[in-house]
Amino acid sequence: MNTVKLVAVFAENRPGQMARITEILARANINIRCIIMATSGNCGVMKVLVSDPDLACHNLKQEGFAATLTDAIAVEMPDKPGALHLVAQCLAADNINLLNTSGFAANHRAILVLEVEDPAQAGETLKKHGHHVLTQKETLATI
Amino acid sequence: MFWQQEMETLDRPALEALQLKRLRETVCRLERVPFYRGKFLESGFKPEKLKSAADMRLLPFTTAVDLRENYPDGLLAVSRDEVLRLHTSSGTTGKPKALFFSRRDVDNAAELIARALCMTGVTRRDVFQNMMTYGLFTGGLVMHYGAEKVGCMVIPAGPGTSERQLLLMQDFGTTVIHVTPSYAFYFADFLEKKGIDPRRDLALRKAFVGAEPYTEETRRKIEAALGIDVYNSYGLTEMNGPGVAFECEGKCGMHVWEDNFVLEIVNPATNEPVGDGEPGELVLTSVNREAMPLLRYRTHDLTSIIPGPCACGRTHRRIQRITGRSDDMLIVRGVNIFPQQIERVLMSIPQVGRNYLIQLEGLDDMTVKVELSPAGFDGQVGHLTQLQSEVVEKLRAELSVRPKVELVASGSLPVSEGKAKRVIDKRSL
């Protein structure tokens, strides 16, 4: 199943933390194509879809960050009313719970990045209903 | 007012003679305890050598470590049949320190409390609400028995909720409370928020405040906030619990009941005695206990002897309020906590890194900052929240105090060379 790799980094929830992370990525000439942040109390997790996830994760770890790679699903949708609803409906029908979700539209194309408990199962479900599940390469090329 | 006027005002030579007599009897009884028998043999000490109070120095010290190593009953000086009650106090490892009371010890501890209450004007007409934790902690039952001895109506409220404390005070006309300084402050805030003026709406007159060190300024603030007199109280489980030393109405220093406790102040580094008025570590010998007397117990509490007699007429000498500890024990919400306990809990959780920091702030809030181990991170924010709750619960189970826990990035806490500075105490008590 097509999945995309996100780099997840632990950070404290206080000013300046994102800059510490982006500095490391910028120095390695890594392009960030999508970002998802979740915070809880004093800490948070920043997730990025980047041109070279392995290098990004390696460099962050080397600088002492708690970083890891996680799998997500990228789905392409038409940029029109009701498109997201169709995706949501088919996930709902198969009882798939969403953990973190991010999406954007540009140049009449829309991409939805989904984090779920079982990415392979979610991908199969979406495919079965005729949705286009993107590979890492396709996703990076699309955005 | 006096509870036992003759004993409380006994002239110094007679008091010291009584102390020496009781010390000799105690030492003779302790020859039956293998721990002390071994110590006496080691140093060549014989009870006949005790000729004056200065000979105290011939006796061995007893430390918290000794109590722990002899847990549960290695220091018991009577048969188990004669033991009436057990209290414990938290120690630096999982094992607590155990202290036994005989029937006479229970009664005697109550007498000492009765002296203390009486000297601040508490009578049988008072309603005494004990807001300390009951159970193994001596601040509950030992104080309770003393207040009953005076004849007060005692309300064993325990720490409970402020709503319930207030209800009891309103419905039963509480006049005296026994409370920690942090809870006294918290309760004063609570009353203010409820729009209750303790001077107008409650019958409160006095508070016995102890179990945690606090400053003179804190005393004044509690007095002003609640409109009452606050008396400083000192004790430790190893010496009965509360009732070792209390303030009289003069509120300048705490009288140590010297017919029960031999008082020494030593330099904690050299173990040599210091002069009156000079600060040092309080060392106490219980000379009027049956079940488990202790010789020269290192309290680790720092104080000094106040020279000269007290205007109240009592001849038992006074010590200053406790200014700190000569070890790293923390007292949070009346509970003894050693940083090693926290460390042990943290190190048993794999997702937690090596470094941590204990921050004490506000009245009595404890925050433990914990580094997240890079290997323990899976990218899920929900798992971080779970980890945080797990650390809180495990610390609460070990310490009996619920701390706040903050997960911080690995390497973000200060690393010091040699002995790490693990505790930052910015409390306003």
Side-chain angles (χ1 to χ4, degrees):
Chain A
M1 175 41 54
N2 296 337
T3 56
V4 292
K5 292 234 174 289
L6 300 178
V7 182
V9 201
F10 170 82
E12 287 162 52
N13 188 6
R14 60 187 169 87
Q17 296 310 294
M18 188 199 263
R20 290 181 58 216
I21 294 166
T22 49
E23 188 194 349
I24 293 164
L25 300 179
R27 236 190 292 134
N29 205 27
I30 290 166
N31 200 15
I32 302 168
R33 312 302 298 271
C34 172
I35 171 166
I36 307 170
M37 282 233 294
T39 62
S40 168
N42 79 305
C43 60
V45 177
M46 172 168 155
K47 288 178 187 168
V48 285
L49 177 67
V50 293
S51 50
D52 189 341
D54 292 314
L55 179 67
C57 193
H58 174 261
N59 285 11
L60 285 164
K61 278 183 176 168
Q62 245 182 359
E63 296 286 337
F65 279 94
T68 187
L69 294 173
T70 62
D71 284 326
I73 296 282
V75 199
E76 182 168 2
M77 305 173 298
D79 181 12
K80 63 175 193 194
L84 177 57
H85 180 58
L86 285 177
V87 173
Q89 248 183 346
C90 91
L91 292 171
D94 268 20
N95 202 27
I96 291 167
N97 193 36
L98 294 168
L99 298 173
N100 290 304
T101 305
S102 166
F104 44 87
N107 307 323
H108 307 292
R109 302 182 75 178
I111 307 270
L112 187 64
V113 179
L114 307 168
E115 284 183 73
V116 291
E117 205 67 65
D118 184 349
Q121 183 212 348
E124 287 302 336
T125 298
L126 291 165
K127 244 181 165 166
K128 204 170 64 195
H129 289 82
H131 294 287
H132 184 203
V133 179
L134 301 170
T135 63
Q136 180 100 5
K137 210 170 153 196
E138 283 173 328
T139 310
L140 290 168
T142 307
I143 300 169
Chain B
M1 280 200 311
F2 291 93
W3 180 253
Q4 292 170 322
Q5 185 162 10
E6 196 184 333
M7 187 59 89
E8 292 173 49
T9 59
L10 200 61
D11 64 67
R12 289 298 303 177
L15 182 56
E16 280 161 26
L18 176 65
Q19 249 187 352
L20 190 63
K21 175 177 165 274
R22 286 182 171 172
L23 178 64
R24 283 209 194 97
E25 290 164 3
T26 300
V27 166
C28 289
R29 267 211 311 281
L30 286 176
E31 283 197 302
R32 291 201 296 265
V33 176
F35 168 78
Y36 281 113
R37 193 167 57 234
K39 288 257 183 191
F40 295 163
L41 277 173
E42 211 174 279
S43 65
F45 171 81
K46 295 212 159 46
E48 315 73 274
K49 288 191 177 176
L50 277 178
K51 300 243 180 328
S52 77
D55 296 330
M56 278 306 286
R57 300 184 60 188
L58 302 173
L59 294 168
F61 286 115
T62 309
T63 65
V65 174
D66 296 328
L67 261 71
R68 203 166 66 223
E69 284 177 352
N70 288 282
Y71 179 89
D73 59 1
L75 293 175
L76 188 60
V78 295
S79 78
R80 280 284 274 263
D81 298 353
E82 289 174 67
V83 175
L84 210 66
R85 195 197 294 168
L86 166 74
H87 278 289
T88 68
S89 157
S90 48
T92 50
T93 71
K95 282 184 183 173
K97 291 174 275 186
L99 191 88
F100 298 97
F101 290 68
S102 68
R103 182 174 298 280
R104 184 172 165 275
D105 293 338
V106 167
D107 193 55
N108 195 45
E111 287 287 341
L112 298 186
I113 302 272
R115 283 187 199 174
L117 298 183
C118 197
M119 90 177 147
T120 63
V122 173
T123 70
R124 58 193 297 273
R125 286 179 297 280
D126 277 298
V127 177
F128 188 103
Q129 188 162 328
N130 192 0
M131 295 160 77
M132 293 282 188
T133 307
Y134 276 70
L136 289 164
F137 177 48
T138 48
L141 280 177
V142 174
M143 194 60 142
H144 183 109
Y145 273 52
E148 280 189 354
K149 177 81 73 180
V150 172
C152 301
M153 177 172 105
V154 186
I155 306 177
T161 66
S162 295
E163 288 284 358
R164 199 182 59 165
Q165 302 284 2
L166 175 60
L167 192 74
L168 290 167
M169 286 177 192
Q170 287 172 324
D171 293 350
F172 300 102
T174 302
T175 55
V176 183
I177 56 174
H178 179 215
V179 66
T180 61
S182 44
Y183 193 37
F185 263 137
Y186 180 85
F187 189 69
D189 277 350
F190 167 81
L191 291 183
E192 202 186 315
K193 280 191 204 116
K194 298 276 288 189
I196 286 170
D197 175 0
R199 288 172 181 79
R200 189 192 62 212
D201 306 324
L202 299 176
L204 284 184
R205 298 193 298 134
K206 296 177 199 300
F208 294 91
V209 174
E212 299 167 348
Y214 62 105
T215 62
E216 191 57 38
E217 196 192 356
T218 293
R219 181 222 299 267
R220 300 273 171 253
K221 280 189 193 159
I222 297 171
E223 288 188 326
L226 292 175
I228 55 175
D229 283 307
V230 166
Y231 297 98
N232 204 353
S233 139
Y234 175 76
L236 62 164
T237 303
E238 298 85 324
M239 298 284 141
N240 288 349
V244 174
F246 265 94
E247 280 182 329
C248 61
E249 278 179 311
K251 291 185 195 167
C252 50
M254 299 178 283
H255 291 277
V256 177
W257 300 125
E258 291 187 83
D259 56 323
N260 279 261
F261 305 102
V262 177
L263 154 70
E264 295 173 272
I265 308 279
V266 303
N267 177 329
T270 64
N271 295 343
E272 291 299 317
V274 301
D276 281 7
E278 284 177 48
E281 180 185 336
L282 178 65
V283 173
L284 291 170
T285 299
S286 38
V287 291
N288 200 23
R289 294 198 91 242
E290 278 184 342
M292 195 174 147
L294 297 174
L295 296 179
R296 306 188 81 200
Y297 184 71
R298 303 293 298 250
T299 66
H300 288 291
D301 288 320
L302 300 177
T303 181
S304 59
I305 291 177
I306 300 173
C310 181
C312 75
R314 286 175 186 82
T315 50
H316 300 243
R317 286 178 297 172
R318 288 164 299 157
I319 54 171
Q320 290 286 8
R321 61 172 63 249
I322 305 302
T323 55
R325 299 271 309 167
S326 65
D327 65 4
D328 52 3
M329 188 179 90
L330 310 168
I331 303 178
V332 178
R333 292 171 223 165
V335 177
N336 298 350
I337 292 173
F338 290 89
Q340 298 94 307
Q341 287 176 283
I342 293 175
E343 181 163 326
R344 208 172 46 248
V345 168
L346 296 181
M347 295 309 131
S348 72
I349 304 170
Q351 301 95 310
V352 159
R354 284 186 179 288
N355 214 355
Y356 64 94
L357 190 70
I358 302 161
Q359 261 180 352
L360 302 169
E361 283 165 315
L363 287 179
D364 220 358
D365 296 319
M366 177 163 66
T367 301
V368 181
K369 292 195 170 187
V370 178
E371 286 192 359
L372 177 74
S373 155
F377 177 66
D378 67 356
Q380 294 301 334
V381 79
H383 292 170
L384 295 175
T385 317
Q386 273 170 23
L387 175 62
Q388 210 160 359
S389 314
E390 183 190 343
V391 178
V392 169
E393 275 316 308
K394 288 193 167 159
L395 285 173
R396 193 202 52 78
E398 167 73 29
L399 308 173
S400 315
V401 166
R402 180 184 292 273
K404 269 191 269 183
V405 168
E406 285 185 10
L407 290 177
V408 301
S410 176
S412 69
L413 294 176
V415 183
S416 49
E417 288 170 27
K419 196 172 159 64
K421 178 120 179 87
R422 300 282 196 202
V423 182
I424 295 178
D425 196 343
K426 292 191 285 194
R427 280 178 293 187
S428 49
L429 280 180

